[in-house]
Every structure is written in structure tokens, then in C-alpha cells.
Amino acid sequence: MNAATPTYHIIGAGIAGLACSYFIKQKNKNIRTVVYEASDRIGGRAYSYEDKDLNTRLDNATHAIIGANKNMAKFVHEKEWENYVYFWDVEEDKLSDQHQRFLAHIFKSICNTQPSLIAQNILRKILFLTFPWTRKKRRLYFSKQDLSQKFSNFFLGSIDELLLNHKLLKIDTQFGKVAQLNFGKKVVEIGPDDVVIVALDNRNYAKLLNEQELPHNPIINIFYQTSQKINLPKAASFVGVINGLADWIFVNHNILAVTISAINDNKTDLQELARRIWKEIDKLRGVNSAFVPAFKVCCHKHATIAQDETTNNLRPTSAQGKYQNLFIAGDWTMQNYPCCMESAFLSAKRAIKEIFKQNKH
Ligand SMILES: Cc1cc2nc3c(=O)[nH]c(=O)nc-3n(C[C@H](O)[C@H](O)[C@H](O)COP(=O)(O)OP(=O)(O)OC[C@H]3O[C@@H](n4cnc5c(N)ncnc54)[C@H](O)[C@@H]3O)c2cc1C
């Protein structure tokens, strides 16, 4: 190992881990970056895959980005933004594009937490980042079976070595510094100038570093596949559902996806829920389908950490980890920020900034 060119070891190939490598190369392209990922793919909680049940490409979960997410917004082409997001009140059977009336509904989805519980500082941050609600900041994009292609694949060019199927099992330390990374099948020695960045989801971070795991909230996604293009009133493709079973409806040609955030009841029969939601969609479309189309239910039990006051107070305030040469990144590591792709990206930016402030690489 050459002392002049240290290696930065990044654990986790979600948006945060991938973006770390990107920011390192922006600072110093001579630094070698190695990304270790437990699974056999990159993207973490945001990826696309070939679904065998529906025989089509799907996103693991439909991801939405608002224009105010400045960093993620750069990945979206001008024509892909939805300028009109409609809200449909199921009880009144009325469509409206007055988003100001439905802020609580929007906040619940952004924070994956019941609106009355969301930490005040997170709400302030959302309002600060999105204020004034200009047309540009307000606009929305949702992923259309293209999460991997659009986001994570972009970062691949900035990684020197990507090691999939490498789950970090143990960190060995010496004199307050990480000395070895133990992957079971392989042990990696950490050089004196090397840096380790742990860019994991909170559950795996807590397991690895013997820390307290934060409470999480689930998100349910249901994908319906029809034989023909699905048309909604006003040619809408992005609809917030008020007083209904689902929170959001997203339409992309013949795939209709619905999302339900922070669902409290873990006893719900999800297959039955999917059938009942389709009845609601029938109502919105003004039709009475003879049968429910093929669908797939994806329940992400630990989608994000809860973003209530108590949990927010337990989140880190800096990227410095518990050892001198260990830093952290990941959506949950940014106290006061909603957990999303934007905060994952920002956490990477912060980690690299802090590392370069401390190290003269
Ligand atoms: C259902 C759902 C819907 C969502 N909707 C939205 C949305 O609409 N908009 C939005 O912006 N965000 C949304 N999010 C949140 C968004 O996906 C996350 O905030 C973001 O992807 C987090 O990225 P990350 O890199 O911080 O963590 P992760 O993506 O979790 O990456 C961590 C990586 O570390 C790997 N790993 C874990 N343990 C180890 C180990 N021991 N060794 C090596 N590797 C390990 C994991 O396999 C994973 O690849 C949603 C998330 C879910 C689940």
C-alpha cells in the first residue's frame, strides 16, 4: 500500500455509499475507493429489478422526488417532472390540485411518520428547504421502473473497486482506530492513512457497531399490471389519495403503483387490502372492473426510521464515527432531515467534507 494514496473503504452500496465514492473522487481522484456491499446488487433501498411474478421490470418501491430535493433533482430530465399533482378525496369523490390543503398528507409521506408525531425540526427543515413553494421546487417526479438506471448506476464510474456479496461482519480496532474489516471469507487490513466510511441503514449499522437500533416505520407498495394503458381523470399520473386506503397512486403506462406510508396495523391482510384498493381506483376511474388485475404487494417493514421527536434526538449530528478513522453516512445519520434519497446523498457530502477537513489527503 502506498502511503501517498490511501484507500477509502466504503461499507454499503446504497445511494449514500455510492455518493461517498463520487465525492471522494471530486476531492482527490488519486484516492482509491473500494465499496463493499452485502447483497448482490447496488442501490440499497432504491433499485430496479426484473420481477418474475409480473414478468416485467419494477422498482422495489416507487420513489418520489420533489423539486426542492436539489441534488436528486439534477438526475431528473426537464420533461419528466409532473407539474400537476392531483389530490382525490375518496369520500367526496373530488379532484383538486390545491396542494396547500393537503400538507399533512405530503409530510406523512416525506417522513414516513404520522403527521402529528413528526419532529418539529424536521418539519421546519422541510419548510425551509421548500420555501418559497415556487413552481420549480414544488414539482414532482416519480420513478418509473428506472430507479437503478437513473440514480445508482450513475455513481459506478467513480468507484475503483466494487465488491458485491461482501457483508461486513466485524470491525476490529486498535488504539481507537479501525485496524481490520472482517468479512468472514476475507479480512481487510486498514492502512495508517486509510479511512472507513460506514454507509449502512440504521438496523445494520446498529448490529455492526453494537449501538441502539432506532424504531422504524413500514411502507407498503402495491403494483397492479393491466393489459392496457391505465387512464385516470385529467390524464393524471400522480394522485394523492385523501380519506382512502392508499396514500398515493402513480401511473406509468400499464403499471399502477400505490404507496401507503407509516401503516400502524401489522395484522392487515395485504392481499385483501390490494383488492379493496383496486375498487377505490375503479371509483376514481369511473369504471367497474370485472376482476382485479395481476398485482404484487411489497411490504417494506423497516423502510425508514421513524421521524418523531424522540427518534430524531437520537440521530447523529456529525459524520464522525466512534473510532478516529471511521465515519458514517446514510439517510438516518442526518439529524433534522427527512430520511430520503436526498438526505442519503447529503450525508455522503457531509462525511467527505468532514474527512477532508481532518485528513490532508
Ligand atoms: C418502500 C420505500 C419507499 C421509499 N420512498 C422514497 C421516496 O419516495 N423518495 C425518497 O427520496 N426516498 C424514499 N425512500 C427512502 C430511500 O430509499 C432511502 O432513504 C435511501 O435509499 C437510503 O439510502 P442509504 O444509502 O442511506 O441506505 P441503504 O439504501 O439502505 O443502503 C445501505 C446498503 O448497505 C448494505 N449493507 C447492509 N449491511 C451491510 C454490511 N454489514 N456490509 C456491507 N453492506 C451492508 C445494504 O445491503 C444496502 O445496500 C423509500 C424507501 C423505501 C424502503
Side-chain angles (χ1 to χ4, degrees):
M1 196 178 320
N2 182 347
T5 56
T7 297
Y8 280 27
H9 306 265
I10 302 164
I11 320 299
I15 298 285
L18 297 169
C20 278
S21 189
Y22 170 77
F23 286 119
I24 293 163
K25 291 293 179 184
Q26 289 214 324
K27 292 263 186 201
N28 181 347
K29 61 179 176 14
N30 294 323
I31 289 178
R32 190 175 138 67
T33 61
V34 185
V35 178
Y36 307 87
E37 165 57 42
S39 73
D40 59 359
R41 49 155 186 84
I42 62 165
R45 270 169 282 162
Y47 65 97
S48 322
Y49 70 104
E50 296 301 326
D51 186 82
K52 291 204 177 76
D53 299 329
L54 297 184
N55 196 21
T56 188
R57 193 161 178 83
L58 285 185
D59 291 335
N60 69 312
T62 306
H63 275 59
I65 289 171
I66 57 172
N69 292 159
K70 277 199 297 202
N71 296 286
M72 284 295 124
K74 287 188 194 136
F75 291 87
V76 182
H77 299 300
E78 203 51 44
K79 62 179 175 30
E80 294 169 323
W81 292 102
E82 304 283 326
N83 286 315
Y84 288 96
V85 179
Y86 290 99
F87 291 85
W88 175 49
D89 189 314
V90 181
E91 283 168 8
E92 293 176 10
D93 196 12
K94 252 198 209 152
L95 271 183
S96 153
D97 62 356
Q98 299 300 304
H99 67 273
Q100 301 92 330
R101 286 178 50 210
F102 305 109
L103 287 186
H105 190 82
I106 297 172
F107 291 154
K108 177 187 164 205
S109 305
I110 294 180
C111 300
N112 189 26
T113 300
Q114 293 301 333
S116 60
L117 301 176
I118 300 171
Q120 289 301 308
N121 278 348
I122 300 183
L123 284 179
R124 262 187 228 113
K125 185 68 79 182
I126 296 171
L127 289 170
F128 172 74
L129 290 175
T130 46
F131 187 82
W133 289 69
T134 57
R135 189 177 148 91
K136 202 168 175 181
K137 284 185 172 181
R138 214 171 54 212
R139 59 194 187 165
L140 275 140
Y141 159 84
F142 69 93
S143 63
K144 300 177 178 77
Q145 291 81 55
D146 59 355
L147 261 179
S148 297
Q149 302 95 296
K150 200 165 204 58
F151 301 103
S152 33
N153 289 357
F154 164 84
F155 299 105
L156 283 173
S158 58
I159 300 171
D160 289 315
E161 197 174 354
L162 172 65
L163 296 170
L164 299 175
N165 302 308
H166 275 65
K167 180 169 182 154
L168 181 59
L169 303 176
K170 196 165 168 282
I171 290 177
D172 294 319
T173 60
Q174 210 175 19
F175 310 122
K177 285 181 87 174
V178 178
Q180 283 185 337
L181 299 177
N182 190 332
F183 295 90
K185 56 187 170 189
K186 163 157 128 193
V187 173
V188 175
E189 300 288 335
I190 302 301
D193 290 329
D194 287 2
V195 170
V196 177
I197 307 167
V198 174
L200 302 183
D201 52 286
N202 175 260
R203 296 187 81 214
N204 281 301
Y205 168 85
K207 265 186 222 142
L208 185 67
L209 285 145
N210 277 328
E211 295 272 343
Q212 179 191 352
E213 182 186 319
L214 299 176
H216 283 67
N217 283 338
I219 300 181
I220 291 171
N221 258 236
I222 305 170
F223 296 93
Y224 300 90
Q225 185 186 42
T226 61
S227 53
Q228 287 175 351
K229 185 174 183 299
I230 299 165
N231 293 309
L232 297 184
K234 296 190 189 283
S237 48
F238 196 158
V239 178
V241 183
I242 310 298
N243 295 321
L245 295 167
D247 287 337
W248 295 94
I249 296 175
F250 311 88
V251 175
N252 180 30
H253 197 69
N254 68 331
I255 300 282
L256 182 148
V258 305
T259 297
I260 313 167
S261 305
I263 194 165
N264 288 327
D265 174 12
N266 57 9
K267 292 199 186 82
T268 309
D269 175 346
L270 297 178
Q271 304 295 313
E272 182 50 28
L273 178 68
R275 287 187 204 87
R276 286 172 55 210
I277 289 177
W278 188 256
K279 287 281 156 218
E280 276 189 1
I281 293 164
D282 263 3
K283 185 174 171 188
L284 173 63
R285 295 163 70 212
V287 298
N288 192 3
S289 311
F291 55 87
V292 179
F295 66 84
K296 171 146 192 147
V297 180
C298 303
C299 178
H300 303 264
K301 262 175 129 177
H302 303 97
T304 66
I305 58 162
Q307 286 151 73
D308 55 89
E309 212 71 67
T310 315
T311 312
N312 188 43
N313 287 337
L314 292 169
R315 292 166 71 182
T317 52
S318 107
Q320 177 65 61
K322 58 205 268 193
Y323 308 112
Q324 201 190 320
N325 56 350
L326 184 138
F327 293 80
I328 56 171
D331 61 352
W332 64 276
T333 63
M334 300 282 289
Q335 191 181 59
N336 301 335
Y337 276 83
C339 294
C340 57
M341 294 202 285
E342 180 79 1
S343 55
F345 189 87
L346 285 173
S347 72
K349 202 173 185 174
R350 179 185 70 175
I352 304 313
K353 199 172 161 197
E354 286 187 25
I355 294 167
F356 276 79
K357 224 164 129 186
Q358 288 184 29
N359 297 273
K360 293 183 184 62
H361 294 155

